[in-house]
Amino acid sequence: MAEPGGAGAAGGGGSGGQQQGSPAAGGVAAGRPARSAAESPGGPGSARTAGKKAQLRAAPRAKKLEKLGVYSSCKAEESCKCNGWKNPNPPPTPPRAELQQAVVSLAEPCRSCSHALAAHVSHLENVSEEEMNRLLGIVLDVEYLFTCVHKEEDADTKQVYFYLFKLLRKCILQMGKPVVEGSLESPPFEKPSIEQGVNNFVQYKFSHLPSKERQTIVELAKMFLNRINYWHLETPSQRRLRSPNDDIAGYKVNYTRWLCYCNVPQFCDSLPRYETTQVFGRTLLRSVFTVMRRQLLEQARQEKDKLPQEKRTLILTHFPKFLSMLEEEVYSQNSPIWDQDFMVSSSRTGQLGIQTVISPPPVARSVSYSASPSSLEQPNSGNMSPACKVSSAIDPNLGEKRKNNEPYSMEDSKRPRVVGDIPIELINEVMSTITDPAAMLGPETNFLSAHSARDEAARLEERRGVIEFHVVGNSLNQKPNKKIMMWLVGLQNVFSHQLPRMPKEYITRLVFDPKHKTLALIKDGRVIGGICFRMFPSQGFTEIVFCAVTSNEQVKGYGTHLMNHLKEYHIKHNILNFLTYADEYAIGYFKKQGFSKDIKVPKAKYVGYIKDYEGATLMGCELNPRIPYTEFSVIIKKQKEIIKKLIERKQAQIRKVYPGLSCFKDGVRQIPIESIPGIIRSPRIQINSTAH
């Protein structure tokens, strides 16, 4: 068996009937690309494999040991060369549904070496349930790859599948993690990536456009990158027939990398998976662009009647021109979009603000947000000091706290005064009163008061340095920071304990997904809560995925303060809408944070982008960029005090006490209302009756 990337190691998954060098199944304009035949050689087998994994992980431990024993070498004696336990009473082939398979005893002998099953699985005696489930996942991937090897007709593709089969088989025996070895190298394979190059292209060609037209280009860029990520490349042998003069050897290496790192991991999730656009660069794009462009446009024309009107115009009118302009830059020898320092030089003239179409935005701080690994940040941005500021060519003001007294725009500063406004001198006088404890009447409200805000205690703890807030996330582009990885593990544990109905594997996948970020709440160096979210800048909203605070730290205002920090973080990034699916226990919390069932984001903007949860309620929150949310309750409290003091001053000015009426004691039955002392001075009473 040659290592992948060697002279004979290349191929494409063609056994599922997927056309080579073709788009994945689904409309060209789909917001979330459909995954079918392009996802695996077996097509629907990917879903079946996922179902089998879930079923096997829920099985009793004895059944799991039996399954792992089949792939575990015998340890009864050193001379035994048996590399897997074989059932002496194998189930019928194909399995019969009406026969319930009994759990095999650990004393059951192996059909090959006659040693007991226990001798094959003795190394698993003290293994945790989590590790055992991981190994079982690899087992099912091995079985699926074995099927692919036998079904695949292309010899080179069969060879790669067989290499990955042996790699995963070895991982089960050694209880290790799969690492593709050989001459393929590790991703990313070329810089800048396709993703960054397209991003640079949009910046280079369309930065002068008005906002609405620029947004159209952003949509086209997203669409194009999605198609590449789910594009099924042609095999080297097919390419040799189509273009015999091309560099087939170089294409074969890139194609084998694509199989090992991008394609096969889509249906064998025990292998690390990467997005094609993030790990490959101009070389691969040049090799597929012409064919891809032709087939995309042909598919769009064929399916034009199925597309909604707005998508039809976008794809049939704007998309061909977009692809033609991009093609020039892809094949041009002097295009600046492929320069390593393109983003640095272009940032001096102002950013488009659309780099987040493809990659996460540079992490800005509101108060103490720490640097998370990001391809747009400086390599030395690992300083975790709460007051740290990240220098960046993209935004020179990252890390600065938004000041409450900072004007928001020139229009605000020139706003005309309304007739009847309270004089500013009076406001300043009242403010000096309510901020001076010695001048206040009665005890000052503190965080222990029944009238204090929910987040008052948390805000005071943050000022004292007891708690910190950091936005963290995983990265495929930089070496992970140890502290950030520890925090991510802590966040995964908090979410898993506080959200028991959510699968632990699902939580882990999202928390460590580079497309997701988490606002972590740190107390005494450990994670006690957080909000996991994914930003969709081009769509104008962020999805809140998980939100939790550890049980022994609840009812302290941390949840409210967390959400307020998240709101300020998004105002910094100009994303002013939150969406989330809240379960029945979380609806109350989100209502307190300003969420409602009245969704302000157009449905077309979020359908296909956010995860839909059965039995949950979709809620949204629209942010106001004029509000400093972390200080909002303090501001409201001061406003109430101002109004109260102004009322008291007004009352003191007009207050005069008159003696009561004594004429009725003398037998007078009625008097005119205007004769009542003080009644004429009241501006609120119209005199049209007589007092009795």
Side-chain angles (χ1 to χ4, degrees), residues 30-33 222 226 506 509-510 513 515-516 532-546 570 575 577-582 595-597 599-614 616-621:
R32 176 176 288 178
K222 284 184 57 181
N226 279 335
Y506 177 68
R509 179 160 60 87
L510 294 192
D513 176 21
K515 295 178 181 177
H516 289 71
C532 181
F533 59 95
R534 180 174 179 181
M535 303 168 78
F536 296 92
S538 65
Q539 304 305 110
F541 75 92
T542 282
E543 180 193 10
I544 294 177
V545 185
F546 306 125
H570 280 78
I575 297 178
N577 283 284
F578 287 162
L579 290 178
T580 187
Y581 273 96
F595 286 70
S596 73
K597 299 176 185 177
I599 309 301
K600 303 295 184 183
V601 181
K603 194 170 183 179
K605 286 283 188 181
Y606 64 82
V607 169
Y609 285 85
I610 67 174
K611 293 164 278 294
D612 194 347
Y613 297 94
E614 185 178 352
T617 302
L618 180 62
M619 302 184 74
C621 177

Side-chain angles (χ1 to χ4, degrees), residues 339-415:
D339 293 344
Q340 288 279 9
D341 57 348
F342 176 86
M343 292 302 288
V344 175
S345 59
S346 66
S347 64
R348 298 192 185 106
T349 59
Q351 282 293 321
L352 254 181
I354 63 134
Q355 60 268 22
T356 49
V357 170
I358 303 150
S359 55
V363 179
R365 276 68 164 171
S366 175
V367 185
S368 60
Y369 298 133
S370 65
S372 63
S374 168
S375 60
L376 297 176
E377 293 180 339
Q378 301 297 329
N380 59 352
S381 60
N383 182 8
M384 292 293 107
S385 169
C388 68
K389 299 180 181 179
V390 177
S391 59
S392 169
I394 293 173
D395 185 354
N397 297 318
L398 290 186
E400 292 185 0
K401 183 175 178 179
R402 184 161 62 103
K403 299 175 178 62
N404 295 337
N405 58 354
E406 182 179 275
Y408 291 92
S409 66
M410 290 297 293
E411 287 78 8
D412 289 339
S413 61
K414 296 179 180 178
R415 186 177 56 190

Side-chain angles (χ1 to χ4, degrees), residues 443-461:
E444 182 183 12
T445 305
N446 56 36
F447 71 94
L448 297 174
S449 167
H451 302 289
S452 62
R454 282 190 298 271
D455 60 338
E456 183 74 14
R459 186 166 48 248
L460 292 175
E461 286 189 6

Side-chain angles (χ1 to χ4, degrees), residues 454 469 519 530-531 544 546-549 554-555 557-567 578 580 582-596 619 621:
R454 282 190 298 271
F469 295 86
L519 174 58
I531 300 177
I544 294 177
F546 306 125
C547 177
V549 174
Q554 291 180 5
V555 202
Y558 291 150
T560 297
H561 208 41
L562 258 174
M563 186 63 71
N564 287 338
H565 270 295
L566 189 68
K567 290 175 180 177
F578 287 162
T580 187
D583 62 25
E584 54 186 321
Y585 304 107
I587 289 177
Y589 165 80
F590 283 108
K591 280 186 176 180
K592 292 177 182 177
Q593 309 309 320
F595 286 70
S596 73
M619 302 184 74
C621 177

Side-chain angles (χ1 to χ4, degrees), residues 375-559:
S375 60
L376 297 176
E377 293 180 339
Q378 301 297 329
N380 59 352
S381 60
N383 182 8
M384 292 293 107
S385 169
C388 68
K389 299 180 181 179
V390 177
S391 59
S392 169
I394 293 173
D395 185 354
N397 297 318
L398 290 186
E400 292 185 0
K401 183 175 178 179
R402 184 161 62 103
K403 299 175 178 62
N404 295 337
N405 58 354
E406 182 179 275
Y408 291 92
S409 66
M410 290 297 293
E411 287 78 8
D412 289 339
S413 61
K414 296 179 180 178
R415 186 177 56 190
R417 292 185 60 80
V418 179
V419 176
D421 271 2
I422 301 170
I424 191 66
E425 296 80 9
L426 180 56
I427 295 292
N428 291 336
E429 184 180 347
V430 173
M431 280 294 296
S432 64
T433 302
I434 67 172
T435 54
D436 180 11
M440 290 292 288
L441 298 177
E444 182 183 12
T445 305
N446 56 36
F447 71 94
L448 297 174
S449 167
H451 302 289
S452 62
R454 282 190 298 271
D455 60 338
E456 183 74 14
R459 186 166 48 248
L460 292 175
E461 286 189 6
E462 184 183 11
R463 288 174 183 168
R464 295 199 302 266
V466 178
I467 59 175
E468 299 174 1
F469 295 86
H470 300 270
V471 173
V472 295
N474 201 2
S475 173
L476 300 179
N477 303 319
Q478 295 185 6
K479 185 178 180 181
N481 181 288
K482 183 178 180 181
K483 181 174 285 189
I484 289 177
M485 297 307 294
M486 289 176 62
W487 284 348
L488 288 174
V489 171
L491 287 162
Q492 184 258 351
N493 289 332
V494 170
F495 292 144
S496 298
H497 283 98
Q498 299 304 129
L499 306 170
R501 295 193 295 179
M502 198 67 70
K504 190 172 183 180
E505 295 83 2
Y506 177 68
I507 292 175
T508 304
R509 179 160 60 87
L510 294 192
V511 169
F512 287 88
D513 176 21
K515 295 178 181 177
H516 289 71
K517 292 185 178 294
T518 306
L519 174 58
L521 170 56
I522 312 297
K523 185 174 184 178
D524 298 329
R526 63 184 181 89
V527 176
I528 64 169
I531 300 177
C532 181
F533 59 95
R534 180 174 179 181
M535 303 168 78
F536 296 92
S538 65
Q539 304 305 110
F541 75 92
T542 282
E543 180 193 10
I544 294 177
V545 185
F546 306 125
C547 177
V549 174
T550 189
S551 54
N552 61 333
E553 298 286 357
Q554 291 180 5
V555 202
K556 296 181 179 180
Y558 291 150

Side-chain angles (χ1 to χ4, degrees), residues 264-328:
V264 175
Q266 287 183 337
F267 58 91
C268 291
D269 59 9
S270 55
L271 290 166
R273 182 194 170 196
Y274 300 87
E275 297 284 9
T276 304
T277 56
Q278 293 180 344
V279 297
F280 291 98
R282 187 184 195 179
T283 304
L284 182 70
L285 185 59
R286 278 182 166 182
S287 64
V288 302
F289 190 92
T290 304
V291 175
M292 181 180 177
R293 175 177 179 269
R294 184 179 67 249
Q295 293 189 10
L296 275 178
L297 296 178
E298 181 181 343
Q299 183 185 9
R301 285 190 292 269
Q302 291 174 353
E303 299 183 358
K304 63 181 180 180
D305 295 332
K306 302 177 184 178
L307 300 173
Q309 183 59 44
E310 63 275 8
K311 288 287 185 183
R312 191 180 308 171
T313 303
L314 184 71
I315 292 168
L316 299 182
T317 304
H318 301 299
F319 200 40
K321 186 175 181 181
F322 176 88
L323 292 177
S324 297
M325 294 178 69
L326 179 59
E327 186 175 25
E328 293 180 10

